[in-house]
Amino acid sequence: MNLDIHHTFLPHTDPDASLAFYRDALGFEVRNDVGQGTMRWITVGPAGGRGTTIVLAPPAVDPGITDDERTTIAEMMAKGTYATIVLQTSDVDETFNQIQATGADVIQEPTDQPYGVRDCAFRDPAGNHVRINQAS
């Protein structure tokens, strides 16, 4: 068996704000943008890359989700506890400075973690936790 990760989903609450963060602050390219208004699915990925992509999607639109579950998801997104993605860079300090300069919401400045990783973290406009590790 040969499996690879094709794409993952992160929720958005404002597709234009999320697009600006992933495109302008992180430098990702837009590979697809379908839908309209708040019901947009925007696929982004590293510029020039052909691998894994992130689909920025409206949250809790599955018809099987109850109103209570939608409320819980909205509350968790507001707290920044609903979704996380971990990215990798060759120089976390330089990457941090570039992203911070765009006005992104900083959760953690570059730090050497006790488990052997140097990383930093931001919160995207929907509250998703975006952690960036330095490649070793």
Side-chain angles (χ1 to χ4, degrees), residues 11 13 70-84 105 107 122-130:
T13 53
R70 282 187 183 84
T71 299
T72 299
I73 289 169
E75 290 171 352
M76 291 180 71
M77 287 176 65
K79 290 172 50 179
T81 59
Y82 184 69
T84 299
D105 184 6
I107 297 174
F122 296 89
R123 188 176 326 277
D124 80 5
N128 299 309
H129 185 155
V130 179

Side-chain angles (χ1 to χ4, degrees), residues 3-26:
L3 294 176
D4 202 354
I5 298 172
H6 182 57
H7 56 259
T8 188
F9 286 74
L10 288 176
H12 68 64
T13 53
D14 178 337
D16 291 325
S18 290
L19 176 60
F21 176 79
Y22 286 91
R23 182 192 57 209
D24 304 337
L26 299 187

Side-chain angles (χ1 to χ4, degrees), residues 76-134:
M76 291 180 71
M77 287 176 65
K79 290 172 50 179
T81 59
Y82 184 69
T84 299
I85 191 162
V86 180
L87 306 174
Q88 180 174 288
T89 183
S90 60
D91 187 335
V92 74
D93 294 280
E94 177 183 335
T95 300
F96 174 82
N97 290 333
Q98 291 176 353
I99 297 170
Q100 183 186 36
T102 68
D105 184 6
V106 175
I107 297 174
Q108 175 207 298
E109 295 188 7
T111 303
D112 291 320
Q113 301 293 350
Y115 42 87
V117 172
R118 182 166 180 77
D119 65 0
C120 65
F122 296 89
R123 188 176 326 277
D124 80 5
N128 299 309
H129 185 155
V130 179
R131 183 160 291 280
I132 302 171
N133 289 353
Q134 181 165 309

